[in-house]
Amino acid sequence: MAWQPDQQQLSQLVGYLRDSLSGHDQNAQKYATMMLTQAKASPDITNYLTYILCSLPPSPNLSADEVHLVRSSAAITLKNIVRAKYRSVSSSNQSYIRQSILSCLGDPNSQIRSFAGNVITELVKAGGILSWPELFGELLSKAGNTSGNISASAQEGAMNALVKICEDNSKILDKDYNGQRPLDIMMPKLIQLTQSPIPKVRAAALESINTFIPQKPRALLAEIDILLERLFQLAHDPSGDVRRFICRAFVQLVEIRPDKVLPHLDGLVDYMISQQRNIDDPELALEAAEFWLAVGDNNDLVGNLGPYLTKIIPVLLESMVYGEDDIIRLEGERDNADEEDRAQDIKPQFAASKSNRALDNGTKSTNGVNGSGQEEVGNDSLDEGEIEEDEEDGDEDPEDEWNLRKCSAAALDTLSSKFHRVVFEITIPYLKDNLTHDDWPNREAAVLAVGAVADGCFEVVTPHLPGLVPYLISLLQDPEPVVRKITCWALGRYAKWAAYLPSQQDKELYFVPMMDSILKRMLDKNKGVQEAAASAFSNLEEQAKRELTPFCKPIIQQFVKCFEVYKDKNMYILYDCVQTLAEKVGPALANPDLMNLLMPAVIQRWNKVSDQSHEMYPLLECLSYIATALGDAFAPYAVPVYQRCVTIIRQVLGDYVRAANHEAVDQPDKDLLVTSLDLLSAVIQALETSKSTELVSRTEPNIFDLLVFCLEDPNNDVRQSSYALLGDVTIKIYPQLRPFLPKILPLLTNQLALEDLPDEEAHEAFGVINNTCWALGEIAMQQDKSLTPYAEQLYNRLVSIMEDPNILESVNENAAIALGRLGLDCSDVLAKHLSEFAKSFLSKMEPLDQTDEKNHALLGLNRAILKNPQGMEDCLLEYFQAIAVFNLETFPVKDLTETFQLLLTGYKSMMPNFDAFMNQLPQKDRTQLHKCFNI
């Protein structure tokens, strides 16, 4: 017999669900929330919630709005339970949910249909594809109206559920299950559904297909010609959503099969232009504009755009002008620098680990072509129709959104980097007509265009800059704040030209006024202009580097004024200015006059900001750069900074343990952990060894006890920074670290096990692996046999990383360096494996610049070869070549030179046909070996 609810319990639960979302009676709401928490412990709670969502009968005690609210609340609660506790739901109750939920897909209310789709998606994610194998057939059948009697709303509901399932399970659906892949069956059906008479079904079918295109699954590639035919048939569909997903499909096809796009490029150019000019549908216009970015970044296609640039560039330029709604919103922005920021104005900051050792980070944002001066930060969006307690008020800044204007500017930037002069010549008439236009939206768009072509057309623009830059500087006085903002950004894009002008006179004419004018705008009466100016100045610092050294005093004086007047939001970008200055001028910042200007302002803010504030992340990062620049001059500030970081780390680790043991406790923000670890690294490295030693020994709790926990943290960023700190303390204060190695080295060894990394996490873990290799190499440099018990395991894992083609080349190389350095301490282990790894090792070493790290690695290899010279038989020629290219004059490393000499002399004595062997080397290598080693 089918499960039936107890009517009294059902009535109570309905009441609790209603009251929990009521804002009229806070006491009732609080009580209802408490009772709902208790109700979740009931083994049948999922059945009750499913019944309320799918079968709640009309009640005289509930209005229609309350019925909808209760059903919505039941759906959200059910989804969350399935997500968090699916395994604890009995199989019979799981079956009840599956049997009941599909009926909701035909509900007349679109929000209820959406909620039902969310629950179905969570069931698939939690239980796996095989837990509900018949689902996809049922949804496809409903969406396609196979029986002929499915309502339009049910078709839409089924299709929307499929969209969500495809989004959340795109890779899983393309996996093999008993010889069959679900996607092989689904893809042809999805393509068929693009012919549905219902526009929303057609659009959702295309949306589902688009989910899979980037993965290049075989199911899609097998149907790609049919898909292309269908896309062209639907190109002029009356539904804007359908056309939007068509544009997105072509954007993605550019990336995976440009050869299929190329024959249709002529028609696609005209089509995308027509869709981009659809001012009534900005989302459609944006999707069309993305096409130019995709083609511009595709080397197989971009060259074919040349004949169409006279069509494309004008459309991009006209799309860069603010629309009517934006003009009304921005018109006459007021002075607001004295107003306090609202909490919702301040974006969350995410820690950007700067602790990637011996690996090119590519870290810093360089103020992309959106004029915002900030990196775009994507937020996880809520499922459609979902209610969230802390949902935004809807008044977030539209300027932060990716939109048609920004996309068009980015496309202009991309195309200018490919076609250079051609793009600029097409743009010149527009600039002449609009840079001095009476209407500010036209002026603003023209300045945006000037900034957008800065990189790609730099050489062509340069002759115009002596006239253009002074005009742009004059626009910093424009009455419209939005024009002043974009002008700050554009000037920042040309800072490199001004900073490196050949004559001092020219620098006085252009660079100094540019720098001075942007600095002044940092104290503009409008907070948006302040932010843009600070961002532009940070970019100027990036470009000018040490050219700024003579101007440090006026720069810091202005920064100090900004510290006095900035509200919380702009303080974040001010930190970026300070840390970039510290990074670029380096030790020059340690001048006592400059320190006495800057540090009181920074420390005053440090004392004001609480440990729980989001502002603490950028402040900690800023102090890391300052400490690095000041070196030992940071000592007066080291003790309180170090102690606070240790306290923060202990607090976050404690909060993590509490959250793991208590459901009601929120997980702590690990960014605080990351930035605190990075600052500890910077401080320890900055101070003289004796001061670092005293600092670490006097501080409680002991940092090494905390570091052990951090090295085991599940968060990749935390472990990456932890291994960076491990390497830094090894270099600086190894005697204090040494007693803790028995706890640390097993963790380090395990971190290098590639087989333990889930596929989806492998790429994210590259930074962790990289820093682990680096830290291991630094420990090996101590040569005290601490690595001996782990040497065999470390060898196997380093070789696996070094030879894995799926890992970043830079991480392969860092693993090779760590492997060589391991030979300094454990040459016996490497010696017996030489024939297995030496050839691969030498190939990884060959392209690397000659550094201390490379020298150490080669010395470690040499020590292993001395114990097993026969192990090099398969790659002896490559080894001799590696010695020949070694620059002994630049790097006169005594131990390394001596071992090279020993080995070369030894091989000469061992090989009866040594001269014949040497003749296999290029003449220049033979000459070099004879010159340096008399061989």
Side-chain angles (χ1 to χ4, degrees):
M1 191 173 91
W3 180 88
Q4 290 294 320
D6 178 272
Q7 291 302 313
Q8 182 178 359
Q9 292 183 21
L10 176 67
S11 177
Q12 287 179 336
L13 185 57
V14 167
Y16 297 148
L17 289 168
R18 177 197 61 203
D19 293 345
S20 69
L21 296 176
S22 171
H24 303 299
D25 188 339
Q26 290 189 351
N27 290 330
Q29 185 181 37
K30 187 175 180 180
Y31 178 74
T33 302
M34 180 183 69
M35 296 306 294
L36 281 175
T37 301
Q38 294 180 11
K40 289 177 185 178
S42 167
D44 282 345
I45 184 63
T46 55
N47 284 15
Y48 277 96
L49 294 169
T50 303
Y51 183 88
I52 291 170
L53 171 60
C54 303
S55 309
L56 184 66
S59 168
N61 298 323
L62 296 174
S63 66
D65 287 345
E66 287 177 326
V67 168
H68 173 69
L69 194 66
V70 166
R71 295 179 69 196
S72 301
S73 180
I76 295 169
T77 307
L78 176 61
K79 186 197 79 167
N80 291 335
I81 291 175
V82 170
R83 175 184 291 173
K85 299 183 177 180
Y86 179 80
R87 300 299 174 193
S88 65
V89 178
S90 68
S91 57
S92 61
N93 288 1
Q94 291 175 13
S95 178
Y96 177 78
I97 302 171
R98 290 195 292 267
Q99 291 168 7
S100 306
I101 197 70
L102 290 178
S103 65
C104 281
L105 295 177
D107 197 276
N109 187 293
S110 62
Q111 198 172 49
I112 295 298
R113 297 198 299 270
S114 179
F115 284 139
N118 293 342
V119 174
I120 291 169
T121 303
E122 287 299 332
L123 287 167
V124 174
K125 282 172 65 178
I129 300 291
L130 298 181
S131 69
W132 199 353
E134 68 276 12
L135 171 66
F136 300 101
E138 292 186 42
L139 291 177
L140 289 164
S141 178
K142 280 180 179 288
N145 193 17
T146 304
S147 65
N149 61 357
I150 306 296
S151 68
S153 60
Q155 292 176 57
E156 290 179 16
M159 194 64 244
N160 286 333
L162 277 168
V163 168
K164 292 171 183 174
I165 293 171
C166 291
E167 286 177 349
D168 289 347
N169 302 275
S170 60
K171 292 184 179 179
I172 294 172
L173 289 169
D174 194 36
K175 284 189 175 180
D176 192 289
Y177 298 91
N178 301 322
Q180 192 173 53
R181 298 180 184 221
L183 195 56
D184 289 345
I185 299 170
M186 293 174 64
M187 186 57 67
K189 301 279 188 183
L190 290 171
I191 293 175
Q192 287 178 18
L193 285 168
T194 63
Q195 293 180 307
S196 170
I198 302 170
K200 288 186 177 180
V201 173
R202 294 198 300 274
L206 286 167
E207 186 178 5
S208 298
I209 293 167
N210 285 342
T211 299
F212 298 104
I213 293 177
Q215 296 173 208
K216 298 187 281 190
R218 72 180 190 187
L220 181 132
L221 295 177
E223 303 282 335
I224 196 164
D225 291 325
I226 298 172
L227 174 61
L228 279 168
E229 181 182 349
R230 195 60 46 78
L231 292 175
F232 287 120
Q233 289 172 356
L234 293 169
H236 298 288
D237 194 283
S239 166
D241 284 340
V242 171
R243 299 200 305 280
R244 179 160 59 90
F245 290 121
I246 287 171
C247 291
R248 185 178 299 176
F250 278 116
V251 167
Q252 297 187 123
L253 287 169
V254 163
E255 296 171 5
I256 70 157
R257 288 299 302 270
D259 58 307
K260 291 291 185 180
V261 174
L262 182 58
H264 308 286
L265 192 59
D266 188 76
L268 282 170
V269 166
D270 289 335
Y271 180 70
M272 294 300 175
I273 286 173
S274 69
Q275 300 307 306
Q276 188 171 338
R277 281 182 162 148
N278 193 326
I279 59 174
D280 295 327
D281 191 340
E283 290 186 5
L284 170 59
L286 173 58
E287 292 288 353
E290 296 276 6
F291 183 76
W292 316 121
L293 271 178
V295 176
D297 286 331
N298 189 286
N299 292 330
D300 295 325
L301 282 180
V302 65
N304 297 281
L305 276 188
Y308 308 105
L309 291 176
T310 52
K311 292 182 179 180
I312 298 167
I313 301 302
V315 176
L316 295 177
L317 293 169
E318 69 186 51
S319 297
M320 286 158 58
V321 182
Y322 276 111
E324 289 184 11
D325 290 344
D326 289 319
I327 291 171
I328 293 170
R329 173 176 57 83
L330 294 166
E331 193 89 57
E333 271 195 350
R334 68 190 188 282
D335 294 343
N336 60 0
D338 294 331
E339 296 177 10
E340 295 297 330
D341 293 326
R342 302 171 302 167
Q344 59 265 40
D345 291 333
I346 304 171
K347 293 180 188 175
Q349 296 292 303
F350 302 98
S353 178
K354 67 183 184 72
S355 44
N356 223 353
R357 298 302 196 253
L359 180 68
D360 183 13
N361 292 347
T363 47
K364 196 154 169 77
S365 169
T366 55
N367 301 295
V369 285
N370 56 30
S372 69
Q374 291 190 335
E375 291 179 274
E376 299 292 326
V377 179
N379 295 321
D380 293 334
S381 58
L382 297 173
D383 290 330
E384 182 185 352
E386 197 168 322
I387 299 169
E388 183 84 356
E389 275 186 35
D390 56 353
E391 195 171 70
E392 295 288 346
D393 296 331
D395 57 355
E396 57 273 8
D397 189 351
E399 290 296 289
D400 295 333
E401 298 173 3
W402 179 249
N403 54 31
L404 176 62
R405 176 176 173 275
K406 293 180 182 180
C407 182
S408 298
L412 180 63
D413 176 40
T414 297
L415 295 177
S416 72
S417 70
K418 309 295 182 182
F419 295 100
H420 312 296
R421 181 178 295 277
V422 175
V423 169
F424 187 62
E425 288 177 350
I426 298 171
T427 307
I428 282 177
Y430 176 85
L431 296 180
K432 288 181 177 178
D433 291 342
N434 290 279
L435 272 173
T436 57
H437 202 285
D438 289 339
D439 295 333
W440 70 260
N442 296 74
R443 290 198 306 278
E444 195 276 345
V447 176
L448 176 58
V450 168
V453 301
D455 287 344
C457 299
F458 186 78
E459 291 185 7
V460 192
V461 178
T462 296
H464 302 269
L465 291 178
L468 183 58
V469 165
Y471 178 70
L472 290 176
I473 291 173
S474 74
L475 284 181
L476 291 177
Q477 306 298 325
D478 195 281
E480 288 295 333
V482 68
V483 177
R484 301 200 298 275
K485 282 195 285 188
I486 201 66
T487 305
C488 287
W489 170 78
L491 281 170
R493 301 268 286 177
Y494 289 99
K496 187 175 183 179
W497 168 80
Y500 292 97
L501 286 165
S503 75
Q504 187 61 36
Q505 183 180 4
D506 284 343
K507 287 182 182 177
E508 294 290 337
L509 275 174
Y510 302 109
F511 177 66
V512 174
M514 177 189 286
M515 179 185 67
D516 185 57
S517 298
I518 296 174
L519 275 173
K520 286 178 179 176
R521 285 305 103 204
M522 287 180 67
L523 287 173
D524 195 276
K525 294 298 184 183
N526 180 276
K527 287 192 284 189
V529 179
Q530 291 177 357
E531 180 182 15
S535 178
F537 197 81
S538 179
N539 196 26
L540 183 145
E541 292 170 322
E542 285 280 355
Q543 302 298 324
K545 300 182 174 65
R546 294 190 183 275
E547 294 292 316
L548 288 175
T549 301
F551 307 102
C552 279
K553 187 169 183 179
I555 291 171
I556 292 174
Q557 285 173 333
Q558 193 75 341
F559 287 174
V560 170
K561 292 177 184 176
C562 292
F563 271 110
E564 293 171 358
V565 302
Y566 273 14
K567 304 306 177 186
D568 290 347
K569 180 183 179 184
N570 283 348
M571 201 62 71
Y572 290 36
I573 191 69
L574 179 58
Y575 292 138
D576 190 61
C577 287
V578 173
Q579 74 185 45
T580 307
L581 182 69
E583 180 185 17
K584 299 307 174 186
V585 304
L589 204 63
N591 179 298
D593 290 341
L594 300 179
M595 282 179 53
N596 292 335
L597 269 175
L598 176 64
M599 291 310 296
V602 175
I603 295 302
Q604 184 178 7
R605 194 70 189 179
W606 166 262
N607 291 331
K608 179 180 178 181
V609 177
S610 73
D611 291 353
Q612 292 73 38
S613 170
H614 287 294
E615 189 183 329
M616 183 55 73
Y617 315 146
L619 178 50
L620 289 166
E621 186 178 5
C622 178
L623 277 165
S624 295
Y625 283 92
I626 292 174
T628 301
L630 296 184
D632 195 60
F634 191 77
Y637 316 100
V639 172
V641 168
Y642 185 93
Q643 180 63 69
R644 189 171 183 182
C645 287
V646 170
T647 302
I648 289 172
I649 292 169
R650 179 177 60 180
Q651 182 64 44
V652 174
L653 290 174
D655 290 345
Y656 176 73
V657 172
R658 284 186 284 275
N661 294 326
H662 301 283
E663 236 182 82
V665 178
D666 291 336
Q667 287 281 351
D669 196 327
K670 294 294 181 69
D671 282 341
L672 263 180
L673 205 50
V674 172
T675 46
S676 295
L677 288 164
D678 288 344
L679 181 49
L680 287 183
S681 284
V683 171
I684 289 170
Q685 282 289 301
L687 302 183
E688 292 178 356
T689 299
S690 60
K691 293 177 184 177
S692 291
T693 300
E694 183 181 5
L695 181 64
V696 172
S697 62
R698 286 176 50 190
T699 305
E700 291 294 337
N702 187 294
I703 185 56
F704 300 116
D705 287 325
L706 299 177
L707 182 59
V708 171
F709 288 102
C710 294
L711 292 171
E712 293 185 279
D713 196 277
N715 183 288
N716 282 324
D717 290 336
V718 172
R719 294 199 312 284
Q720 181 173 330
S721 289
S722 299
Y723 280 103
L725 176 58
L726 175 61
D728 285 334
V729 296
T730 300
I731 295 170
K732 202 76 175 184
I733 50 171
Y734 183 73
Q736 288 179 275
L737 169 67
R738 182 68 177 82
F740 295 87
L741 286 181
K743 293 181 180 178
I744 288 172
L745 289 177
L747 302 177
L748 182 151
T749 305
N750 290 337
Q751 181 62 64
L752 296 174
L754 291 181
E755 63 271 16
D756 293 341
L757 281 178
D759 290 343
E760 61 274 14
E761 292 183 14
H763 193 274
E764 295 177 1
F766 287 164
V768 186
I769 295 170
N770 181 78
N771 282 3
T772 308
C773 290
W774 175 76
L776 169 61
E778 294 302 331
I779 294 171
M781 285 292 295
Q782 305 304 316
Q783 302 182 49
D784 64 353
K785 300 301 178 184
S786 59
L787 294 173
T788 302
Y790 312 95
E792 188 71 33
Q793 204 172 9
L794 287 169
Y795 160 76
N796 288 320
R797 291 180 176 177
L798 287 171
V799 169
S800 295
I801 297 167
M802 179 179 72
E803 297 181 343
D804 192 325
N806 298 315
I807 287 181
L808 290 174
E809 183 69 20
S810 54
V811 182
N812 295 146
E813 293 164 354
N814 227 18
I817 287 175
L819 179 62
R821 288 173 131 187
L822 183 63
L824 297 173
D825 201 27
C826 307
S827 55
D828 289 344
V829 172
L830 263 60
K832 64 184 179 183
H833 293 293
L834 276 172
S835 61
E836 302 166 1
F837 79 88
K839 191 164 188 173
S840 176
F841 173 86
L842 290 170
S843 72
K844 296 300 180 187
M845 289 291 105
E846 190 273 328
L848 299 183
D849 293 335
Q850 200 163 323
T851 61
D852 288 341
E853 288 81 4
K854 181 176 179 178
N855 296 343
H856 300 150
L858 288 172
L859 180 58
L861 177 72
N862 286 356
R863 290 183 180 177
I865 297 172
L866 285 168
K867 295 180 177 178
N868 180 19
Q870 293 80 9
M872 297 296 289
E873 183 178 356
D874 291 341
C875 58
L876 194 58
L877 199 65
E878 291 93 331
Y879 177 62
F880 274 48
Q881 287 179 299
I883 299 173
V885 299
F886 192 86
N887 191 333
L888 291 171
E889 294 177 0
T890 307
F891 287 89
V893 185
K894 181 182 177 183
D895 289 350
L896 187 56
T897 306
E898 289 176 353
T899 54
F900 279 153
Q901 184 72 64
L902 276 173
L903 287 164
L904 290 170
T905 304
Y907 279 121
K908 183 177 181 179
S909 65
M910 290 168 58
M911 298 171 65
N913 297 316
F914 186 74
D915 290 341
F917 173 80
M918 289 290 290
N919 285 334
Q920 298 177 66
L921 291 170
Q923 179 61 49
K924 62 181 178 63
D925 290 345
R926 296 200 303 271
T927 301
Q928 184 69 10
L929 289 173
H930 178 73
K931 174 185 173 183
C932 296
F933 300 102
N934 197 27
I935 294 295

